[in-house]
Amino acid sequence: MISFRRAIREIDKQMVVLLFLIVVIATVMARRNPFFLTLYNFEVMAQGFLFEALMALGMTLVIVSGGIDLSVGGVFPFAAILMALLLRNGINHFLAMPVVIAASAVVGLINNEMRRILNIPPMIVTMATLLTLRGLNLAITDGRVISRLPSAFVELSSTRILGLPIPMAVYLVAALLILILSKKQRALLHVYFVGGNPTSAALSGVKTERVYRMVYTLSSCLAGVAGILATMVYNSASSNFGQGIELRVITAVAIGGASLTKGGIGSIEGTILGSIFLAMIYNAFVMSGVSTYYQDVFTGVMLVIAVLLRSQLFRQESH
Amino acid sequence: MRRRLLVLLLTLAMVVGLAGASVWAKDPEHYVMIVFTKGAEYFNWTYAGMIDAAKILGDHITTELQGPAEWDASLQARTIDQVIVKQPNAILVACADEATLVPAINRAIDRGIPVITFDNDAPESKRLAYVGTDNYEFGATGARAMGELLGGEGEVAIITVPGAGSMAERAQGFEEELARLYPNMKVAAIINDEGDVARAESLTVAALLANPNIKGIFSTHGYGGPGAAAAVRTVGRQGEVVVIASDYGGPVLELLKTGEIAATVADNPYLLGFQAMMLAYQAAHPTDMPSQNPPFGHVPPLIYGGSYIITSEDLQDPEVAAIYENPPQF
């Protein structure tokens, strides 16, 4: 059996390493590029990984529960397109937003039901949903971008809440809320229990299916919110939005210390750090003018290191 | 006393030297090209054009190629925002679609960075100029080649994807130019292959069997040519049916060499990148004469890079073939 306390201590270690790396990269970049340590660049950096970061919060819970959700890469553009279409048909944005989030929730429910009824691994189920939605997005839009959205909605893209652009404010609220709940609230604590050992969780009276339903629905909803924000930021929506976004989301979660191979391990604060790390990496590559090809090489290597670190940790503990 | 004079003279010489150096050497300038599907042969040609234009303009100019490897407008918009932070002298953008990049392009302009679009435009943005290809003229170029190869006689087919967009403009240009120059020729069939090479082949086979009078086929996109050539082979009419393709992707080049494709119409990505760089430089250097886009320099709002014909004969020359077969890589 895994010692939970020991595992949590090890995650802290990984977070210290991550924090150290973030500081090192920031220092190196600041010396190389005078614009790196500017308030403007911090905003650009954050905006550049915001959708991934938001979706990573939900993905963390799915991964901790022992599953994975690839379908967010289809939900994200789907929600953006649905939002744009509703707006184009004269529906007020405050009405359209809950509709889009509800539609995204339905996708999450379908994922979970397919997983439960057909007893197929989450990776396969959500991959099927990803492909289906990507095809559907193309069919709905005919491959064209939807733009010319109502000006009342377009104005939101330059609206600021307490000096922050709306997407950033949404992320901060969501991250704080889920972070606090993941430490205190029973339903979210059960995610760890179920992920760590579903049988013993069920035996102790945890309604495991309810936990699974919650995490897949939440993951899908957050992808839907990210899609709505994308429509807001770009004043348009297209089926080509979010190519490979599910992999960047999962990478952020894995670098943040969640285990892709074993449930029950991972944390929201780790994922937040992982997101900051990747946001900085993507920004640093453009800032220093290094070819973006190496950006993927770098994140791939980071992912392998993170996963190895995690599985190595378990090998030490299992004997 | 003497030594003091020497020191004074040396100091003076240094000051003059430094001042002189800063007068003679131009301030460094940095220009960034942002594409989508970075790594695609087409955009490597545009960047090759940009680099050569920058060389002509001087050693003080540096260039950089940025953009996502995916066809993802949202990722490209983020790249533009990140490049803006670096405050380059100008940005050259090939837009992944006409709408998504508009806010990012406008942010660049509002921060005093000139933006020139090329290949794919964002007409509703504040970009200063667009360097592109006239697709109507592209189709018309194909029609003139077809007329010449067939001696102004016979029926032809067009492979295209109907609707709006560049392919429809190419098809229209082809039809109208053919009707204008060659009254004895007519378009007997329009084949919608949905941009798919296998569909192009099967539908062209059907068209050729249904109408033996078809003597020429023009494709408005890169996959139709190889599909049509395969169809001609299937019905055994090589040498009787002239195939004119579009662009010069690998399969088209191979079939041009064997002669199964007689000619291809090409736009000029090298020239698009070259011209976009020139316009970016102009925009970054305002003159005393007030321009239409203050505070930026003078640029024409639209430039076409033109279309031209590459024939099967052209590619028999190894030097010419080498240019197309060894595209630049970055």
Side-chain angles (χ1 to χ4, degrees):
Chain A
M1 255 321 286
I2 311 142
S3 142
F4 279 97
R5 197 182 289 167
R6 169 110 188 256
I8 284 167
R9 223 185 304 135
E10 291 296 333
I11 287 172
D12 287 344
K13 250 184 229 164
Q14 182 153 351
M15 280 176 55
V16 170
V17 172
L18 208 48
L19 256 176
F20 175 73
L21 280 176
I22 289 173
V23 172
V24 167
I25 293 169
T27 316
V28 171
M29 280 308 296
R31 288 178 65 108
R32 281 187 60 146
N33 195 313
F35 301 112
F36 188 79
L37 276 189
T38 56
L39 206 60
Y40 181 46
N41 190 43
F42 276 134
E43 189 174 318
V44 167
M45 196 190 300
Q47 293 268 44
F49 204 70
L50 203 83
F51 306 137
E52 283 90 341
L54 188 61
M55 289 149 80
L57 298 171
M59 185 70 79
T60 307
L61 295 178
V62 175
I63 287 175
V64 167
S65 84
I68 197 145
D69 185 3
L70 298 176
S71 74
V72 292
V75 176
F76 172 69
F78 172 73
I81 290 163
L82 189 59
M83 185 71 195
L85 282 178
L86 290 173
L87 290 169
R88 283 290 296 266
N89 284 298
I91 291 165
N92 179 284
H93 50 265
F94 289 114
L95 200 69
M97 285 179 201
V99 172
V100 174
I101 294 173
S104 309
V106 169
V107 176
L109 285 174
I110 292 174
N111 275 336
N112 186 54
E113 286 309 299
M114 284 203 295
R115 180 199 58 77
R116 185 177 65 88
I117 298 170
L118 305 174
N119 198 19
I120 307 173
M123 166 135 21
I124 312 292
V125 168
T126 57
M127 189 191 286
T129 311
L130 168 69
L131 290 174
T132 312
L133 280 177
R134 282 234 169 259
L136 191 68
N137 293 338
L138 263 173
I140 297 172
T141 59
D142 207 11
R144 295 206 186 91
V145 58
I146 305 167
S147 59
R148 301 211 177 99
L149 305 179
S151 53
F153 181 73
V154 169
E155 276 164 20
L156 289 179
S157 62
S158 47
T159 308
R160 281 169 182 262
I161 301 171
L162 300 174
L164 295 174
I166 291 179
M168 257 199 247
V170 169
Y171 175 71
L172 283 183
V173 170
L176 270 177
L177 202 69
I178 297 178
L179 177 62
I180 293 167
L181 290 182
S182 73
K183 303 287 173 214
K184 304 236 183 259
Q185 208 250 345
R186 187 187 291 172
L188 292 195
L189 289 173
H190 281 171
V191 178
Y192 284 86
F193 200 1
V194 169
N197 193 330
T199 329
S200 71
L203 285 174
S204 353
V206 175
K207 297 204 166 57
T208 54
E209 279 307 327
R210 200 181 275 178
V211 169
Y212 290 132
R213 193 165 64 221
M214 177 188 72
V215 295
Y216 283 99
T217 311
L218 183 69
S219 172
S220 217
C221 280
L222 285 173
V225 173
I228 293 172
L229 293 174
T231 313
M232 191 184 289
V233 168
Y234 303 122
N235 297 337
S236 68
S238 163
S239 56
N240 67 35
F241 281 12
Q243 300 286 333
I245 199 169
E246 64 282 351
L247 297 181
R248 292 195 293 277
V249 171
I250 293 167
T251 308
V253 175
I255 286 180
S259 166
L260 295 177
T261 47
K262 195 118 176 100
I265 304 293
S267 70
I268 297 294
E269 62 270 30
T271 294
I272 294 172
L273 268 189
S275 299
I276 293 174
F277 177 76
L278 280 187
M280 193 172 266
I281 292 297
Y282 287 133
N283 186 269
F285 268 93
V286 177
M287 286 300 253
S288 55
V290 179
S291 173
T292 33
Y293 305 144
Y294 296 107
Q295 170 183 304
D296 289 341
V297 174
F298 187 85
T299 31
V301 171
M302 283 304 300
L303 181 61
V304 170
I305 292 174
V307 170
L308 273 181
L309 219 69
R310 210 89 313 263
S311 58
Q312 205 56 38
L313 202 142
F314 277 104
R315 200 162 303 148
Q316 283 166 10
E317 300 204 354
S318 49
H319 57 70
Chain B
M1 197 62 202
R2 221 174 182 178
R3 183 179 280 182
R4 197 173 285 176
L5 195 70
L6 195 70
V7 170
L8 193 76
L9 272 177
L10 272 176
T11 320
L12 202 71
M14 248 170 70
V15 169
V16 170
L18 280 174
S22 63
V23 167
W24 299 124
K26 288 183 180 166
D27 285 337
E29 292 182 32
H30 191 59
Y31 292 75
V32 184
M33 175 179 274
I34 304 173
V35 301
F36 55 97
T37 62
K38 179 168 176 266
E41 196 180 313
Y42 189 88
F43 289 125
N44 283 346
W45 279 110
T46 65
Y47 187 58
M50 180 193 185
I51 288 177
D52 286 356
K55 269 187 209 142
I56 292 176
L57 292 170
D59 291 339
H60 61 300
I61 294 185
T62 50
T63 62
E64 180 182 335
L65 180 63
Q66 287 282 358
E70 299 87 358
W71 190 323
D72 182 337
S74 63
L75 279 180
Q76 198 190 6
R78 296 182 195 186
T79 310
I80 295 178
D81 275 319
Q82 292 180 328
V83 167
I84 291 172
V85 178
K86 295 205 278 186
Q87 299 179 8
N89 293 72
I91 298 175
L92 292 62
V93 186
C95 306
D97 69 47
E98 76 269 13
T100 305
L101 305 183
V102 171
I105 289 174
N106 290 352
R107 277 192 285 275
I109 294 282
D110 293 344
R111 287 184 162 260
I113 302 167
V115 178
I116 310 291
T117 56
F118 67 97
D119 176 48
N120 252 335
D121 195 13
E124 286 173 24
S125 71
K126 296 186 196 165
R127 56 99 178 118
L128 305 176
Y130 168 60
V131 184
T133 299
D134 182 348
N135 282 303
Y136 184 91
E137 180 55 29
F138 185 105
T141 306
R144 289 192 288 273
M146 186 67 87
E148 264 176 46
L149 285 167
L150 291 180
E153 303 273 338
E155 296 182 12
V156 296
I158 302 177
I159 296 177
T160 188
V161 182
S166 58
M167 283 183 259
E169 288 168 23
R170 289 175 179 185
Q172 191 194 355
F174 181 88
E175 268 196 276
E176 291 183 8
E177 184 77 351
L178 203 71
R180 195 172 69 83
L181 291 180
Y182 305 104
N184 293 335
M185 296 180 73
K186 84 169 214 223
V187 176
I190 293 180
I191 298 164
N192 172 17
D193 69 342
E194 293 166 12
D196 179 75
V197 64
R199 278 186 76 81
E201 184 194 354
S202 58
L203 292 173
T204 307
V205 166
L208 287 173
L209 292 176
N211 185 351
N213 294 326
I214 291 178
K215 294 280 182 276
I217 303 165
F218 169 64
S219 168
T220 62
H221 62 82
Y223 298 105
V232 171
R233 208 180 306 132
T234 307
V235 299
R237 286 168 67 186
Q238 294 106 307
E240 296 166 35
V241 179
V242 168
V243 177
I244 297 184
S246 281
D247 310 331
Y248 43 85
V252 173
L253 284 182
E254 280 308 307
L255 293 165
L256 272 170
K257 278 171 117 180
T258 65
E260 286 188 83
I261 291 178
T264 191
V265 190
D267 67 350
N268 199 335
Y270 176 86
L271 188 55
L272 296 189
F274 190 98
Q275 282 296 347
M277 177 62 215
M278 287 298 188
L279 293 192
Y281 188 81
Q282 287 168 235
H285 292 266
T287 58
D288 292 336
M289 177 73 111
S291 82
Q292 301 292 320
N293 314 297
F296 307 109
H298 293 266
V299 285
L302 173 68
I303 286 188
Y304 282 137
S307 315
Y308 65 107
I309 292 283
I310 309 169
T311 63
S312 179
E313 276 169 46
D314 294 338
L315 281 198
Q316 305 310 319
D317 180 344
E319 275 180 37
V320 176
I323 294 175
Y324 295 105
E325 284 170 353
N326 303 303
Q329 280 185 337
F330 300 103

